[in-house]
Amino acid sequence: MAAGVACDFCREDQLEMECCRGGLVPRSAAAGLPGLLLLPDGEEDRISALPDDMLLKILARLGCARAAAHTGLLARRWRGLWARLPELTFHRIAPAPLDAALAMVARPAPSLLDIHFFNHHGFEPARVSSLLRAAAALAPAEFVLHVTGGIQPGPVELPCFNRTTSIKLDLFSVCFTLPPAGGFPALESLHLENGHIDGAGMLPLCPRLRKLWALDWKLDSVVLHSEALEDLAVYATRQIRHIDIVAPAVKKLYLVAHYGVRKEFSLSFSAPAVEDLTWKCETKAISYRFGVIWRMWSLTFSTFLQPLGNNQLANNSEIMPSQAQHRRVGVLSLNLETSPVTELRDQCLLRRCSHDL
């Protein structure tokens, strides 16, 4: 990778990041670097004489693939070593240099591939799909892709990651489509911070998936059946019509209906091993009582297993043997907000004025 791999906006951000700032080379000086480490006359470059394994440990401490690549501008001995790093993190570099950098990454597969972009590069869905295919070809054990802001509308195909065990995607308002063939046989953790994928279609492709966090669920139904899931979190950004969850191994479940549920709502739920359960339904119901406006913003139900002390165990002889060390505790919380009567009158007056206009 050359020195000028970032636009002006990305470079400003790099200057604020410790891991990137250490590898930045002044653009005025970068063109004149001869590729040799300049040392006083007669002084030996003992660091460059170290074996590759030691040099790779030094580069790994930089925490940034771009900064590691810039060491090659100072000494030929360091050139290309960054491509053999077990963990590769790319911060704020332009798409074209990133493509070239990924093509240089050496085998075996990296343990981590972490890519962060700014959205001012004008990403198109096809461009993101191409980047995902390049990442899948490297078969990293852990893959992270973060784009600050949104990309242009359109579906993004998620390719098969045959050997990747953990994937985290943070792309605002992106709808991922499933690969036409193949799957994710090694995937154990899928974290969708932003962006949506068809969970019902995804789960059969992930036989080993134990953790699923879908924090931008855009469908009006939540249908998830899995024998392997142990940790499930769904944050629905649509009004929910139907929930159908069958997860016999799940121990932790977190479900939020951000826009509430429909009047014709239906629920089918089977998770006999759950230990930590949270259901949260948000609403904007308004009622006028006792001279004030009451707004119910959310209704949350939580249940968890609490360890029992020795005295409690002695006084609970009816507890089943499998539950002898814990008891289930449930908490129901209601979030209300009040407003004075005058506010209600003002709101009615504003509505009347708007209709008159």
Side-chain angles (χ1 to χ4, degrees):
M1 289 191 294
V5 296
C7 66
D8 291 337
F9 293 104
C10 290
R11 191 175 179 86
E12 290 178 3
D13 186 68
Q14 290 171 357
L15 288 170
E16 298 178 359
M17 304 177 68
E18 183 178 355
C19 60
C20 294
R21 185 171 61 245
L24 284 176
V25 179
R27 288 176 174 172
S28 59
L33 286 174
L36 294 172
L37 185 61
L38 301 178
L39 297 170
D41 293 340
E43 186 172 339
E44 182 182 359
D45 179 10
R46 297 183 180 180
I47 296 180
S48 295
L50 294 172
D52 287 358
D53 291 346
M54 292 295 295
L55 296 181
L56 287 172
K57 290 182 179 180
I58 295 173
L59 294 180
R61 297 298 295 269
L62 294 175
C64 176
R66 186 204 49 75
H70 278 182
T71 61
L73 296 173
L74 303 177
R76 291 190 180 97
R77 173 72 175 85
W78 297 72
R79 288 183 179 176
L81 283 177
W82 70 269
R84 294 163 52 188
L85 287 170
E87 296 185 359
L88 294 169
T89 299
F90 295 93
H91 289 146
R92 318 310 196 209
I93 72 174
L98 177 62
D99 290 339
L102 293 180
M104 296 173 61
V105 175
R107 303 299 191 274
S111 59
L112 170 66
L113 179 59
D114 188 354
I115 301 173
H116 288 243
F117 273 125
F118 269 139
N119 66 341
H120 61 256
H121 290 292
F123 290 106
E124 298 179 353
R127 178 69 186 81
V128 178
S129 296
S130 175
L131 174 60
L132 289 173
R133 288 193 296 270
L138 296 178
E142 182 179 356
F143 175 59
V144 178
L145 177 60
H146 173 85
V147 178
T148 302
I151 68 171
Q152 297 181 16
V156 172
E157 182 179 314
L158 187 64
C160 297
F161 283 79
N162 295 321
R163 287 177 286 180
T164 301
T165 59
S166 175
I167 296 177
K168 181 177 180 179
L169 303 174
D170 187 359
L171 291 86
F172 185 73
S173 296
V174 169
C175 182
F176 294 99
T177 60
L178 298 174
F184 307 83
L187 190 62
E188 298 179 2
S189 175
L190 175 60
H191 187 141
L192 299 177
E193 185 71 26
N194 286 293
H196 171 75
I197 196 168
D198 178 14
M202 181 71 177
L203 286 178
L205 305 180
C206 312
R208 301 181 60 184
L209 191 65
R210 295 184 296 106
K211 178 180 179 179
L212 172 61
W213 283 23
L215 306 184
D216 189 18
W217 191 272
K218 293 185 178 299
L219 300 178
D220 64 355
S221 61
V222 180
V223 179
L224 297 170
H225 293 190
S226 172
E227 298 291 330
L229 271 182
E230 297 178 4
D231 188 348
L232 174 61
V234 176
Y235 189 96
T237 54
R238 293 289 186 274
Q239 197 174 43
I240 297 300
R241 172 182 55 84
H242 175 59
I243 294 178
D244 181 8
I245 295 177
V246 178
V250 74
K251 297 180 180 179
K252 183 176 181 180
L253 192 150
Y254 180 79
L255 178 61
V256 175
H258 182 63
Y259 289 98
V261 297
R262 296 186 180 181
K263 293 181 178 180
E264 64 276 14
F265 172 72
S266 62
L267 170 65
S268 176
F269 173 71
S270 176
V274 68
E275 298 176 356
D276 188 347
L277 170 64
T278 298
W279 298 87
K280 183 175 182 180
C281 180
E282 299 188 7
T283 181
K284 302 299 182 287
I286 299 177
S287 178
Y288 174 58
R289 292 291 185 275
F290 309 112
V292 295
I293 304 173
W294 295 82
R295 290 187 177 91
M296 186 179 75
W297 290 108
S298 64
L299 181 66
T300 303
F301 175 74
S302 300
T303 178
F304 55 92
L305 292 181
Q306 182 184 71
L308 290 173
N310 293 332
N311 294 334
Q312 291 173 307
L313 287 174
N315 296 328
N316 287 272
S317 58
E318 297 181 359
I319 296 178
M320 298 295 292
S322 61
Q323 300 174 332
Q325 300 300 323
H326 298 83
R327 67 174 178 181
R328 187 168 298 280
V329 178
V331 179
L332 181 64
S333 63
L334 181 64
N335 183 7
L336 297 175
E337 181 179 285
T338 63
S339 299
V341 178
T342 53
E343 181 178 335
L344 176 62
R345 294 171 179 170
D346 292 342
Q347 290 178 354
C348 294
L349 179 60
L350 287 174
R351 293 196 197 98
R352 182 177 300 175
C353 292
S354 62
H355 288 309
D356 293 339
L357 291 174

